[in-house]
Amino acid sequence: MCGIISYIGKQDALPILLDGLYRLEYRGYDSAGIAIIDHDGNVCHMRTAGRVDELANLLAAHPVQGSFGIAHTRWATHGAPSAANAHPHADCKNNVFVAHNGIVENHAKLRAALEREGHIFASETDSEVFAHLIERALGFLGNAGTLEDAVSEALRHVEGAYGIAVVSKKHPQKLVVARRSSPLLLGIGDNEFFAASDSSALLRHTRRIIYLDDNELGVLTPDGYEVRNIRHKPVPKQIELLTGSPEDMEKGGYDHFMEKEIHEAPDVLRNALRGRVLYEDGTAKLSALDASADKLSRINRIIFLSQGTSYYAGLAGKYMMEELAGVPSETLYASEFRYAPPPLNEQTLVVAISQSGETADTLEAVREAHRHHVPTLAIVNVVGSSIAREAGMGIYNYAGPEIGVASTKAFISQLAVLSLAAVWFGRQRNLSVLRGREILQELRQLPHKAEKILSNAARIRALADEYALYENFFFLGRKYNWPVALEGALKLKEISYTHAEGYASGEMKHGPIALVTSAFPSVVVAPSDSVYEKSVSNIHELKARGGKVIAVATEGNTEIVKIADHVMHIPRTQEILSPILTVIPLQLFAYFIAKKRGCDIDKPRNLAKSVTVE
Ligand code: M6R
C-alpha cells in the first residue's frame, strides 16, 4: 500500500525516481509526488492527484536536476486523493520533506500538540506529522543536530506503522529512512544508494539489497550507508542478492499483467513442484517441514490465516489437510485472529498464507501467534518479505512477481504448495505411500492440464463477451470448489466492478436463491467429483427459477451440457487438486468481462496490490 522510492548518488535523480514510481504504482495509484534537492540546494517539490503519468507530465514542464530525492505513490488512508494530501509532505518552512507508508495511529493527538506549538499543517493526512516532528526535533537539537538524530527523536513520539524517507534542504547529500511494520529496503550501488518499499523499484539498478528490520534507520550519503537502531547504535546488516530479471516486471506481449499472470499457471505449477516431489516415498520434500519434523509430529490442530484470495487458498488448504493428514484445521481471516484469537497452545500450528508477505493483518497475526508461543509456518511468494522473515518456518511459492492487483498465479501456486504440505503431514501420519504417489503423480500432470485450459481462452472470451453486461452473478461450489466459487466472485467484482456473490452451493436455498431471475446468472463449479450429483441438483434448482447457468465441468461430461446454458471445461483430475484447474476458467472469465467493460484491469479503482495497513 503506497510506494516509496528514494535515491542519492551521482546520477540525475529524476528519471530514477520516476521509473521507480512506475514500478511501484501497483502498490497505490491515487496520487503521486516527488521532492528533489537540486545542485544549488533548491527543492523541486511537486505533487498531483492521479497516476504517475500526471506527475511525469507536470515534471516535463518543470525539469529539475539534482542527485538526491524522494518520491511516493499513494493509496489514500487519511484524507482524499488530492495534490495537498499527496506525499512528500513538508514542514512549516519547506525544509524537511517526508514520504510515508503506513498509518500514524496517534496522529490526531500529535497534530493537536504541534498546532498548539504553532506548526501549520497543509494536509489532512496522518503522515504530515512526521515533517513537523522532525522540524521540531531539529530545533531542539540546534546546529549540532544531524538529520538522523532528528528523525530518531521524532519517531519516539509516533505510534503505528511506518516506512519513511526523509530529505532536508539544510542537510544536503543525506537521505534518512526508517521502518516499523511497513517494508523498506536499501539498494546498494557503486557510490549510489536507493531505498524503496519494494524490490521491484530496485531491480534495474542493483541486485544488492539490505532489508531494514523494525525500529531501524538507514542513513545514506553518496559515499556510503549506515544502519542503526533508534537508540543510535549501529546495526551490522547482511547484503542479500535479488533474484529474477527486470523482464519479469514487463507484460511480455500481453495486454495486461493479469492476462500474462493467468497464462503463467503451467510454469508456476512447475516452479512450485520443482525439487519437492519424492515420488518413490509418496511424499513431499519441504525443507522447512523436514527440519522441524519432530515438533510437527506433535501438532494436533492447524489454523490457516490470510486475507482475500490467500484466505480462499486457506479454505481449500483446510480440506486438504483434514482429508490427507486427519489434522483438525480451520481457516480464519488474519484480521479477526489478531484481535479475537481462539484458545491456542503449542500443539497448534499457525500457517500464514500471503502472496506479498507484507499484508499487515497477516503479519500482525503471525506476531500474535508468537505472543502465544504457537509455531508458525509461512507460505509466501515474495522472497525476503516481512512474513517470510518473521515466521518460524517458511515455504516459498517461487511464482515470480505478481504485478496485477488481482491475484491469479499466486492462488494456483498456493494451492499446489498446500497440497504438497498436506501430503507431507499425511505421510507423517496415516497416509499410505500409494495415496501419496497418486496425488504427486497427478500434481505432475497439472502443468499440461493447465495449458489445455488456457488453449481454450478464446472460447471463454466469447462467453464473457456474451455476459459482460449482466450486473449480478452468483458463483457456487461445494467442498473443494466452494473456495473457488468465492475466488471467482472476488475476481469478477474487483476488476470488472460487477456485483458477484460467492456461496457454498448448499447455502443457496437458505436465502440467496430469492435473487435469482433470468437477469441474475450463476456460475456453478461442478467438476466430476464426490459432490457432483449435489451440484447437478443445485443447477436444476436454479434453472427451475429461470436462472441462467454457466457450469465449470470435467471434459467428457455429456450430462451437464444438456442442463447448463454454457459449460467451461477442465481436464479430469483428482478432486483434492481440482481447485487448481477450476479456478483458471474463472480467472479468464473475469478478465475478459473486465476487458469488454473497458476497465483498468491491472489497477482497479480503490485497490492496491499489497495491503500494508490494518
Ligand atoms: O499478499 P496477500 O496474499 O497477503 O494479499 C491478500 C489480499 O490482499 C489479496 O489476495 C487481495 O484480496 C487481492 N486483491 C485478490 O485479488
Side-chain angles (χ1 to χ4, degrees):
M1 214 130 250
C2 305
I4 293 177
I5 171 77
S6 41
Y7 173 78
I8 190 158
K10 306 270 184 279
Q11 298 189 62
D12 230 354
L14 180 59
I16 294 171
L17 295 183
L18 268 182
D19 176 70
L21 284 184
Y22 279 117
R23 312 261 155 213
L24 293 171
E25 205 174 14
Y26 73 114
R27 297 180 67 102
Y29 34 84
D30 60 39
S31 49
I34 207 158
I36 293 178
I37 304 195
D38 73 14
H39 302 307
D40 302 321
N42 302 313
V43 180
C44 167
H45 182 210
M46 226 164 259
R47 297 171 296 165
T48 176
R51 301 277 166 98
V52 176
D53 266 341
E54 316 247 354
L55 181 69
N57 290 341
L58 264 183
L59 285 158
H62 302 89
V64 56
Q65 287 208 312
S67 53
F68 77 111
I70 60 180
H72 187 268
T73 176
R74 180 172 185 244
W75 184 88
T77 59
H78 296 62
S82 65
N85 288 334
H87 301 218
H89 291 289
D91 66 339
C92 300
K93 300 200 181 81
N94 279 324
N95 281 331
V96 175
F97 298 86
V98 183
H100 167 228
N101 288 355
I103 289 183
V104 181
E105 285 167 4
N106 59 339
H107 71 100
K109 210 168 114 200
L110 290 173
R111 182 175 180 136
L114 286 158
E115 282 176 338
R116 277 197 301 277
E117 290 169 22
H119 290 263
I120 311 285
F121 279 71
S123 77
E124 304 159 281
T125 65
D126 56 325
S127 309
E128 194 183 339
V129 295
F130 284 104
H132 297 281
L133 286 170
I134 295 167
E135 176 182 28
R136 184 175 72 172
L138 284 169
F140 291 152
L141 294 168
N143 289 341
T146 62
L147 185 59
E148 54 274 30
D149 289 345
V151 171
S152 294
E153 162 57 24
L155 294 180
R156 286 197 317 115
H157 302 275
V158 173
E159 289 164 20
Y162 55 76
I164 54 167
V166 185
V167 288
S168 156
K169 246 175 18 184
K170 297 258 170 76
H171 300 82
Q173 300 302 316
K174 188 176 276 185
L175 176 61
V176 178
V177 298
R179 94 157 245 174
R180 186 201 289 157
S181 290
S182 191
L184 208 63
L185 36 103
L186 310 184
I188 313 299
D190 294 330
N191 293 320
E192 59 178 1
F193 301 92
F194 309 79
S197 42
D198 168 331
S199 62
S200 56
L202 302 181
L203 206 52
R204 284 189 176 275
H205 307 290
T206 181
R207 289 185 180 274
R208 302 169 70 220
I209 52 154
I210 288 175
Y211 293 101
L212 284 191
D213 287 309
D214 278 356
N215 301 315
E216 288 179 351
L217 252 81
V219 184
L220 314 178
T221 70
D223 304 317
Y225 68 90
E226 185 195 32
V227 177
R228 47 157 81 182
N229 63 26
I230 43 174
R231 280 185 217 89
H232 311 288
K233 289 244 159 52
V235 182
K237 300 291 285 187
Q238 203 181 337
I239 296 182
E240 301 188 35
L241 285 184
L242 283 178
T243 54
S245 82
E247 286 68 48
D248 295 342
M249 317 299 291
E250 309 293 341
K251 288 189 202 137
Y254 289 94
D255 287 347
H256 297 94
F257 281 108
M258 183 181 176
E259 187 185 19
K260 176 188 173 214
E261 288 158 6
I262 295 172
H263 282 268
E264 282 173 354
D267 283 340
V268 159
L269 286 166
R270 287 184 192 103
N271 291 341
L273 301 179
R274 185 163 296 120
R276 290 173 168 169
V277 173
L278 295 179
Y279 180 75
E280 285 308 315
D281 299 332
T283 191
K285 181 171 163 44
L286 296 164
S287 322
L289 304 188
D290 293 335
S292 303
D294 220 33
K295 179 166 73 179
L296 293 173
S297 67
R298 290 189 289 279
I299 293 299
N300 60 16
R301 176 192 184 200
I302 295 180
I303 303 179
F304 294 98
L305 298 177
S306 37
Q307 300 290 144
T309 292
S310 299
Y311 171 74
Y312 301 146
L315 289 176
K318 164 199 155 69
Y319 286 156
M320 292 174 182
M321 202 55 89
E322 291 184 338
E323 179 175 337
L324 297 185
V327 182
S329 304
E330 59 200 297
T331 306
L332 300 174
Y333 283 118
S335 55
E336 290 297 306
F337 173 91
R338 161 91 166 92
Y339 296 104
L344 297 163
N345 62 41
E346 285 164 19
Q347 284 166 288
T348 303
L349 172 70
V350 153
V351 180
I353 308 172
S354 175
Q355 186 288 128
S356 62
E358 299 295 351
T359 297
D361 292 311
T362 312
L363 178 59
E364 287 304 326
V366 167
R367 291 174 177 168
E368 182 64 22
H370 288 163
R371 282 191 278 275
H372 291 264
H373 310 291
V374 169
T376 56
L377 166 69
I379 297 179
V380 165
N381 189 34
V382 176
V383 175
S385 55
S386 302
I387 294 171
R389 287 183 301 130
E390 291 201 22
M393 295 162 273
I395 307 176
Y396 280 123
N397 292 108
Y398 298 124
E402 190 178 65
I403 311 285
V405 165
S407 185
T408 52
K409 66 176 178 175
F411 182 68
I412 287 175
S413 171
Q414 287 164 347
L415 293 172
V417 167
L418 283 163
S419 65
L420 287 173
V423 168
W424 188 94
F425 274 90
R427 291 287 296 123
Q428 252 209 345
R429 291 164 166 78
N430 293 324
L431 188 74
S432 72
V433 73
L434 281 184
R435 181 72 183 120
R437 280 184 194 162
E438 271 172 21
I439 293 165
L440 297 171
Q441 175 61 15
E442 181 58 19
L443 267 169
R444 294 202 289 211
Q445 301 305 316
L446 289 186
H448 303 295
K449 294 186 177 178
E451 270 159 14
K452 200 160 177 212
I453 299 170
L454 291 164
S455 69
N456 276 328
R459 289 181 56 192
I460 297 174
R461 180 182 192 149
L463 188 61
D465 286 353
E466 199 178 317
Y467 279 84
L469 295 180
Y470 284 81
E471 289 301 337
N472 300 287
F473 283 84
F474 277 128
F475 282 75
L476 308 174
R478 271 178 192 272
K479 202 174 168 184
Y480 282 103
N481 284 290
W482 167 47
V484 173
L486 296 172
E487 173 61 3
L490 176 63
K491 285 293 86 85
L492 188 62
K493 53 191 156 198
E494 69 182 334
I495 59 166
S496 77
Y497 318 137
T498 306
H499 172 235
E501 304 257 12
Y503 277 103
S505 305
E507 178 66 7
M508 270 303 275
K509 355 187 200 324
H510 299 278
I513 202 166
L515 291 169
V516 168
T517 65
S518 59
F520 202 133
S522 299
V523 178
V524 183
V525 190
S528 303
D529 60 10
S530 65
V531 291
Y532 169 73
E533 296 302 338
K534 300 287 173 205
S535 302
V536 169
S537 303
N538 298 135
I539 295 175
H540 281 299
E541 289 153 12
L542 293 163
K543 295 293 299 171
R545 285 155 184 84
K548 286 194 160 63
V549 171
I550 302 169
V552 177
T554 303
E555 275 168 9
N557 179 345
T558 49
E559 177 193 39
I560 206 160
V561 288
K562 294 183 196 139
I563 318 169
D565 295 277
H566 307 275
V567 180
M568 299 191 275
H569 286 109
I570 61 150
R572 183 169 296 279
T573 187
Q574 299 241 353
E575 178 176 45
I576 197 166
L577 302 177
S578 62
I580 297 176
L581 297 185
T582 52
V583 76
I584 299 174
L586 301 192
Q587 293 172 343
L588 287 168
F589 186 67
Y591 172 75
F592 288 125
I593 287 193
K595 197 168 184 183
K596 181 82 176 168
R597 291 171 74 114
C599 298
D600 192 347
I601 292 176
D602 285 333
K603 299 193 187 82
R605 73 179 175 220
N606 303 341
L607 298 181
K609 182 67 182 164
S610 169
V611 184
T612 53
V613 294
E614 280 190 72

